[in-house]
Amino acid sequence: MKYLKLILKALKGDETMDYTSISINKALLLLAVPMVVEMSFESLFALVDAFFVAKYVGTNGMATVGLTESVLTIIYSLAWGISTAATAIIARKIGEKNPQDASKSLMQIINISGGIGIILAAVGFYYSAEILKLMGGSDQLIEEGIGYTQIQFLSAPIIMLLFSLGGALRGAGNASLAMNAMIIANLINMFLDFIFIPIMGMGVEGAALATIIGRSVGVAIQLSAFFTNNINLKLTLKKWFADWRLIFEILKISAGSAGQFIIQSASWVFLIRILSDFGSEVVAGYTIAIRIIVFTILPSWGLANAAATLVGQNLGAKQPERAAKSAWRAAFFNMGFLGIVAILFFIFARPLVMLFDENPVVMETGVECLQILCAGYIFFGFGMVMSQAINGSGDTKTPTVLNIIGFWVLQIPIAYILAVKLDWKQTGVFWAVVISESILAVLAILYFKTGRWKKNTIDF
């Protein structure tokens, strides 16, 4: 009953809570519950789109989604990077009891997100056909899917703002507000997917339109929250300005965190390029499996983000040991959660993939991918919390270096050797992911134990 009351309190939100003074378990629960729910609904965007496209459009449509998403991960990477920086900066300022500087930082985070998003939208829209061709798409696939790719690239500013504003809300301890915006955005996406695809027959373009509309509503809700009186992070249009010194400082922190995700994205692009040589059905199967995996990985990111917020706020409050304890505890919880999920996915891989597509090649590829990647889930769970905790301290350089080792030094070469040189095909790609991610997690844990991240400062 005690924990049920806490969960209900977490979902309702308490913007006056001081997370640096209550028990660590309580702080983790109050922050993690809305973040896990938020990330679960973020993952539903991809899962619901994949379901409707696979059911009502077909293999080429699913392959288009996979090829486009592999490139869009660059946008997601930048968005996650700015979001991570926003969480670290806002959490530190709130922990220092300095809401005015937190608000100034938020203004510049919005300026950065909007500016970068507009540039990416223009470039991606103009070169959509070339991007699909570069990724190995056939002429027929490009003809059928270019509309989807163009719409998705046009959504770049919305994606950037949705992630960065969510990161700012989480850093301030207002995770329930970020959660509510994501839930509403997702419900709209699901409803419009049903209207646009099976009813109106808009095909894969319908999925893109549903997503951009849903996310736009989510951004509008997030922005409105900053103008209310019951939140510790506020904005005012009358005092809006561009502080180039502050923008430069935020970009320096964002560059490290964005770099981490760009490194991952580049690796993913390379992996899916290898898979495209084995046919659209293999790409479709891989895409389905990844969507299912993301459905559990993103909620785990919710727990990792809770750890990042606690690390940032506790460092701001001059409590480094409490920051470390918060991260370790979150990591063990996350490892246990993903360990249970791994067992369930291994057992139920086939019926899960069959929900999306019963094409034999697509299904076998998806099942194999799901079962192999489960082998690394325990490492994934622990490692992602450690990396986010280090990011939460404002040290984004170290995780970037670790990602270069994990993805470029290890994952890409291993995938190429196993899949191409040893002719393991897609199986080699799947095992390369498990091997590299597990080593990356161990490296993050070893660095976190040194405690060097505790000395990082954010002075602006």
Side-chain angles (χ1 to χ4, degrees), residues 72-318:
L72 281 177
T73 49
I74 295 173
I75 296 175
Y76 292 128
S77 298
L78 292 171
W80 269 112
I82 297 174
S83 173
T84 300
T87 298
I89 293 165
I90 300 299
R92 183 68 68 96
K93 296 304 177 184
I94 294 297
E96 293 171 353
K97 306 297 188 289
N98 191 350
Q100 286 187 337
D101 278 359
S103 295
K104 290 178 183 178
S105 299
L106 176 60
M107 285 184 199
Q108 309 318 315
I109 287 166
I110 294 174
N111 289 336
I112 293 167
S113 301
I116 293 175
I118 291 170
I119 294 170
L120 290 172
V123 174
F125 180 85
Y126 186 78
Y127 290 106
S128 290
E130 288 80 0
I131 289 169
L132 287 174
K133 188 174 183 179
L134 182 65
M135 291 304 300
S138 65
D139 290 340
Q140 182 183 355
L141 183 147
I142 294 172
E143 184 181 349
E144 293 177 6
I146 189 171
Y148 172 86
T149 306
Q150 289 176 329
I151 295 170
Q152 287 287 46
F153 271 108
L154 285 177
S155 70
I158 300 301
I159 294 172
M160 299 292 292
L161 286 169
L162 186 70
F163 279 66
S164 61
L165 294 177
L169 285 167
R170 291 191 295 272
N174 303 306
S176 62
L177 294 175
M179 174 194 72
N180 292 337
M182 189 62 71
I183 289 174
I184 294 171
N186 221 290
L187 291 174
I188 292 171
N189 177 61
M190 285 188 273
F191 174 74
L192 292 179
D193 265 338
F194 178 72
I195 298 297
F196 289 162
I197 301 175
I199 294 180
M200 297 180 64
M202 294 176 67
V204 72
E205 291 181 15
L209 282 172
T211 300
I212 193 173
I213 293 171
R215 283 179 169 152
S216 296
V217 173
V219 168
I221 294 171
Q222 289 174 326
L223 285 171
S224 66
F226 296 118
F227 295 96
T228 61
N229 293 322
N230 59 343
I231 183 174
N232 55 358
L233 186 60
K234 296 181 177 65
L235 283 175
T236 172
L237 293 176
K238 292 180 181 179
K239 295 182 180 180
W240 201 274
F241 63 96
D243 184 333
W244 294 104
R245 185 192 66 82
L246 188 52
I247 286 174
F248 180 72
E249 294 297 331
I250 293 171
L251 283 173
K252 281 203 301 187
I253 297 176
S254 299
S257 49
Q260 295 164 37
F261 293 104
I262 289 173
I263 290 163
Q264 294 178 37
S265 301
S267 181
W268 190 24
V269 168
F270 186 88
L271 297 186
I272 206 164
R273 183 63 186 85
I274 293 175
L275 291 171
S276 68
D277 288 338
F278 306 132
S280 293
E281 291 172 322
V282 169
V283 174
Y286 173 74
T287 302
I288 290 170
I290 290 297
R291 292 301 175 91
I292 295 171
I293 286 170
V294 165
F295 186 65
T296 54
I297 289 293
L298 277 182
S300 291
W301 271 106
L303 193 52
N305 284 333
T309 297
L310 286 178
V311 166
Q313 290 198 7
N314 280 294
L315 288 179
K318 310 300 182 186

Side-chain angles (χ1 to χ4, degrees), residues 7-28:
I7 290 172
L8 292 175
K9 185 176 182 180
L11 293 172
K12 182 180 179 181
D14 184 355
E15 282 69 43
T16 63
M17 181 66 67
D18 183 356
Y19 295 99
T20 63
S21 60
I22 61 177
S23 74
I24 292 175
N25 282 352
K26 184 177 180 181
L28 270 175

